[in-house]
Amino acid sequence: MGQKGMSVQRHIVEQERDFPKATGNLTGLLMDLIYAAKIISREVNKAGLVDVLGLTGTENIHGEEVKKLDEYANDRLFKAMDHGGHLCIMASEERDDVIHIPDKFPKGNYVLLFDPLDGSSNIDANVSIGTIFSIHRKKTDGEKGTLEDCLQKGSDQVAAGYIIYGSSTMLVFTTGQGVNGYTLDPSVGEFILSHIDIKTPSKGKIYSANEGNSKFWDEGTRKYIDYLKEKDSNSGRPYSLRYIGSLVADFHRNLLYGGIFLYPADYKNPDKPKGKLRLLYEASPLAFIVEQAGGMATSGKENIMDIVPTELHQKVPLIIGSREDVLTYQKFISENA
Ligand code: P6P
């Protein structure tokens, strides 16, 4: 279980001992990720002081302006992960296609999918942002990974997590044995176990959604949000609206406090028919975490963890958080189908 104050390295090694057949490759992979997280945290926390704010002048595959810190985070993650011999392939929100491991480096049996710096539109306003990662096992033959190795459903994840760069930098992840949170102690440069076996409340009093999009939502979603606003002290309503517009920050708050985050499909919006968030490196890893913490994640039609991806950057509606709240949402959707 671990003890508060323990370094993440010690906690990972102690947890590995519970798996006698462990080769140490996942541990090595996580250690490389943790190193990258420290470097990115350093740059994010001094962003206002050095020339890493602002735009690169380019757009990514999603038509979003790429911030200098986006590129920096992507580059640091690649350079931290490309040589360890734990990965056969990577994919990033910032890169159109899969990222192969350079021929000069050994290949491993894991796949890493990541959003290097989610919420980057908030960087210049000093709002919390985050890195999200998802780890799968290679499933194809041969040494080099392929796109097929990246297109795996959420329930096949080996590990998933995020780093939130906020009032403090926190690493939160699961390897399927519960969810733990580690807070970076900058004085020693170590992530220290601070949140043991995180469980999200079964029901919250917070909802997180960009209501500016409500005219695009389906009837069931609109009725659910209206329901949350009605006064009913027996069910803790009205809920409070808390929306930062930075997925990792909104998710992290709701994970700890309870509540529901919604980025529904914008059916009537030709730009966002399946919402805005990406399945492989946003919805799927957060769904793994929330399920391990006792919560739920749905697209409205199906459990996020059951969706078999068909494209690297495919989008999916994401409704995620406290179990009872997501179940109530699903009831509104089925009653208004
Ligand atoms: P909207 C940030 O750009 C992001 O990808 C997520 O971090 C966040 O949840 C979402 O977009 C916010 O989108 O349309 O509400 O601004």
Side-chain angles (χ1 to χ4, degrees):
M1 181 67 89
Q3 289 151 357
K4 281 197 176 184
M6 179 184 279
S7 75
V8 65
Q9 285 83 351
R10 176 176 171 182
H11 196 210
I12 290 174
V13 167
E14 288 192 354
Q15 286 188 304
E16 182 192 316
R17 290 193 188 119
D18 295 339
F19 299 87
K21 293 181 182 173
T23 62
N25 271 309
L26 180 59
T27 294
L29 197 176
L30 290 169
M31 299 300 184
D32 291 344
L33 257 176
I34 288 162
Y35 173 72
K38 293 177 187 176
I39 301 294
I40 295 168
S41 175
R42 180 190 65 192
E43 289 307 299
V44 166
N45 288 321
K46 68 181 183 183
L49 302 174
V50 298
D51 183 26
V52 288
L53 286 177
L55 303 172
T56 59
T58 61
E59 279 191 354
N60 62 20
I61 187 176
H62 318 287
E64 297 161 341
E65 290 176 318
V66 179
K67 297 267 187 173
K68 290 178 183 173
L69 264 183
D70 274 339
E71 268 307 305
Y72 179 83
N74 192 73
D75 186 51
R76 293 310 309 188
L77 272 162
F78 175 72
K79 286 180 175 153
M81 306 310 295
D82 67 350
H83 58 279
H86 311 300
L87 296 172
C88 62
I89 198 164
M90 292 186 253
S92 166
E93 189 254 5
E94 291 298 337
R95 292 290 179 271
D96 299 1
D97 202 349
V98 295
I99 305 169
H100 288 290
I101 303 301
D103 291 341
K104 63 184 176 185
F105 295 133
K107 314 293 182 289
N109 290 319
Y110 288 107
V111 177
L112 177 66
L113 311 164
F114 59 91
D115 184 349
L117 211 54
D118 179 81
S120 55
S121 56
N122 295 294
I123 290 175
D124 299 2
N126 204 19
V127 170
S128 297
I129 52 182
T131 298
I132 311 171
F133 62 89
S134 171
I135 299 170
H136 284 275
R137 277 190 192 79
K138 182 172 179 294
K139 67 177 194 176
T140 59
D141 298 331
E143 190 185 46
K144 287 182 77 171
T146 66
L147 175 62
E148 187 185 347
D149 290 306
C150 298
L151 300 181
Q152 298 188 56
K153 62 185 177 169
S155 54
D156 289 339
Q157 287 176 101
V158 173
Y162 59 85
I163 299 98
I164 179 169
Y165 311 100
S167 50
S168 64
T169 294
M170 263 195 80
L171 164 67
V172 177
F173 74 91
T174 182
T175 57
Q177 315 300 318
V179 182
N180 293 294
Y182 308 82
T183 301
L184 182 64
D185 178 343
S187 67
V188 292
E190 288 291 1
F191 281 99
I192 306 298
L193 182 58
S194 53
H195 296 66
I196 299 174
D197 195 22
I198 297 171
K199 293 300 176 194
T200 195
S202 60
K203 189 175 183 298
K205 294 185 177 179
I206 290 170
Y207 75 99
S208 307
N210 180 346
E211 292 209 44
N213 297 328
S214 59
K215 64 178 179 301
F216 295 124
W217 295 344
D218 61 278
E219 194 64 19
T221 299
R222 276 204 302 274
K223 285 185 175 176
Y224 173 69
I225 297 294
D226 290 342
Y227 162 80
L228 293 181
K229 295 176 183 177
E230 291 162 1
K231 183 161 178 53
D232 176 331
S233 48
N234 292 329
S235 62
R237 289 180 288 141
Y239 279 25
S240 295
L241 171 58
R242 294 288 182 272
Y243 191 71
I244 301 169
S246 186
L247 175 60
V248 173
D250 280 315
F251 176 82
H252 184 68
R253 179 205 51 243
N254 291 3
L255 179 74
L256 298 183
Y257 295 176
I260 186 168
F261 172 96
L262 308 94
Y263 208 107
D266 293 351
Y267 292 114
K268 300 167 194 162
N269 180 344
D271 299 334
K272 296 192 277 187
K274 289 200 169 182
K276 175 180 183 182
L277 302 177
R278 274 63 62 136
L279 173 61
L280 279 179
Y281 39 79
E282 289 174 337
S284 199
L286 296 184
F288 189 16
I289 292 169
V290 85
E291 283 200 1
Q292 285 286 311
M296 272 184 80
T298 180
S299 67
K301 294 195 171 81
E302 54 192 316
N303 185 311
I304 293 289
M305 297 275 269
D306 297 337
I307 301 174
V308 179
T310 53
E311 294 168 24
L312 202 54
H313 299 288
Q314 77 184 65
K315 297 177 181 176
V316 68
L318 178 63
I319 294 85
I320 188 169
S322 295
R323 182 172 186 77
E324 287 182 41
D325 291 312
V326 176
L327 287 171
T328 302
Y329 173 80
Q330 287 181 317
K331 186 168 168 288
F332 273 78
I333 294 301
S334 57
E335 288 172 355
N336 292 276

